[in-house]
Amino acid sequence: MQFDDDADLDTSEVQDVRGSRIPGGRATVGGGIVGVIALILGLLFGVGPDQLGLSSGDTDPAATASSQAQVNQACRRGSDANTREDCRIVAVVNSVQDYWRAEFPRRQGRYSDAQTVMFTGRVGTACGTATSAVGPFYCPGDRKVYLDLGFFDELRTTFGSSGGPFAQAYVVAHEYGHHVQNLTGALQRAQDGGQGANSNAVKVELQADCYAGAWAHHATTTPDEATGRPLLTSLTAADIQDGLNAAAAVGDDRIQEKFQGRVTPETWTHGSAAQRRQWFYNGFRTGDMARCNTFA
């Protein structure tokens, strides 16, 4: 996975609140390992901590001058994205949004940008106050993606993903898939409270996987608005395999087997490892968001 060394990165699409403290913020779901497992099973790669009854807390995370300035100064060029993890996230966000800005008009729609908020530990959102234990998530209330970079270590060490830069890119692109669903209205289908292998909650997650794959299909040919050249210049078969591996690692069946010792399909909210691999690959193979209709 390689970015154009000479491309300019747009850090305005990323808000860095790492190191900030959220006064009074608290998660109301359990404590200790039981609470963490509840959060993992309920929201990993999901939508909004409000679905888990997290506290309302403070809803406007503010970037400290030092943290935001660090990203603004360090993440200027594509070459920075090739050497720094936080700059890589900036570049992936730029690339994903370049794709959706071009794709929506082709379908008589209009794409609205969404920021990614990088945080550590705990963050206030329009969906409530969340901790890092929930994993990356999208909040439809403020149309932002929330990400603690420490999750990528957990993806590898706790969930058994092979890791790699594109595994990180897959996670980010999946969350922007939820933003796309929010814009198209599909995200509302997950709000019916249903669970299980055939639930709308699972279908929404699998569609977001497929949308991530559609971006990956076009990533090396989507021109950056500033340069006219693709921001992402190289994506290998090994990169795609890392994405498929990450998708499978966070399948409901694998997580349940690891943390519960048994698989209970009636409680699934994200889909099995095989389903997640299948839908990401379907998006990557076709490059067509119309082929991502998991509700058919």
Side-chain angles (χ1 to χ4, degrees):
M1 182 178 180
Q2 188 80 13
F3 295 96
D4 178 359
D5 281 339
D6 297 323
D8 292 327
L9 300 184
D10 183 0
T11 56
S12 70
E13 295 183 359
V14 174
Q15 184 181 2
D16 188 1
V17 300
R18 291 175 293 174
S20 300
R21 296 179 64 86
I22 306 298
R26 61 194 185 282
T28 60
V29 177
I33 189 62
V34 174
V36 170
I37 292 173
L39 289 167
I40 288 172
L41 293 179
L43 190 58
L44 190 64
F45 286 28
V47 183
D50 55 329
Q51 292 182 332
L52 291 176
L54 301 188
S55 70
S56 57
D58 293 332
T59 60
D60 186 18
T64 65
S66 59
S67 62
Q68 190 66 50
Q70 180 180 2
V71 165
N72 291 345
Q73 293 170 6
C75 303
R76 295 176 178 271
R77 314 283 280 186
S79 55
D80 301 319
N82 289 323
T83 57
R84 283 181 58 121
E85 183 179 54
D86 51 0
C87 300
R88 182 184 306 129
I89 300 305
V90 173
V92 170
V93 170
N94 291 171
S95 176
V96 169
Q97 298 209 106
D98 280 341
Y99 168 65
W100 289 116
R101 287 189 202 104
E103 185 64 19
F104 266 58
R106 284 196 285 266
R107 301 178 184 276
Q108 290 73 54
R110 183 176 180 275
Y111 180 76
S112 298
D113 288 359
Q115 278 192 322
T116 286
V117 180
M118 295 190 294
F119 71 98
T120 51
R122 176 177 292 146
V123 67
T125 83
C127 296
T129 299
T131 71
S132 300
V134 304
F137 64 92
Y138 171 74
C139 174
D142 54 27
R143 294 187 173 185
K144 293 181 179 180
V145 171
Y146 290 87
L147 174 65
D148 186 329
L149 299 187
F151 170 77
F152 295 132
D153 291 331
E154 293 295 317
L155 184 61
R156 180 176 50 82
T157 60
T158 301
F159 299 101
S161 167
S162 58
F166 190 77
Q168 301 173 3
Y170 153 72
V171 172
V172 174
H174 172 98
E175 295 307 329
Y176 275 88
H178 287 314
H179 178 56
V180 169
Q181 292 170 326
N182 194 27
L183 296 178
T184 63
L187 191 59
Q188 297 176 2
R189 298 197 186 197
Q191 307 303 310
D192 61 8
Q195 294 182 335
N198 295 314
S199 66
N200 281 335
V202 167
K203 292 173 182 178
V204 161
E205 295 299 331
L206 296 179
Q207 186 177 60
D209 282 335
C210 189
Y211 285 164
W215 159 73
H217 176 97
H218 295 282
T220 58
T221 58
T222 298
D224 179 67
E225 291 182 342
T227 67
R229 303 188 307 269
L231 179 57
L232 187 60
T233 59
S234 174
L235 200 57
T236 68
D239 290 325
I240 298 303
Q241 188 58 46
D242 282 341
L244 290 166
N245 190 272
V250 290
D252 280 324
D253 51 344
R254 289 201 185 177
I255 293 176
Q256 288 180 339
E257 180 67 34
K258 182 176 184 63
F259 290 104
Q260 297 180 169
R262 67 187 188 282
V263 177
T264 53
E266 65 273 13
T267 65
W268 286 2
T269 58
H270 287 64
S272 69
Q275 287 175 312
R276 301 200 70 167
R277 283 179 58 96
Q278 172 193 341
W279 280 102
F280 172 77
Y281 187 72
N282 186 59
F284 176 70
R285 179 179 58 83
T286 66
D288 185 359
M289 69 178 294
R291 301 290 293 273
C292 294
N293 185 9
T294 56
F295 300 94

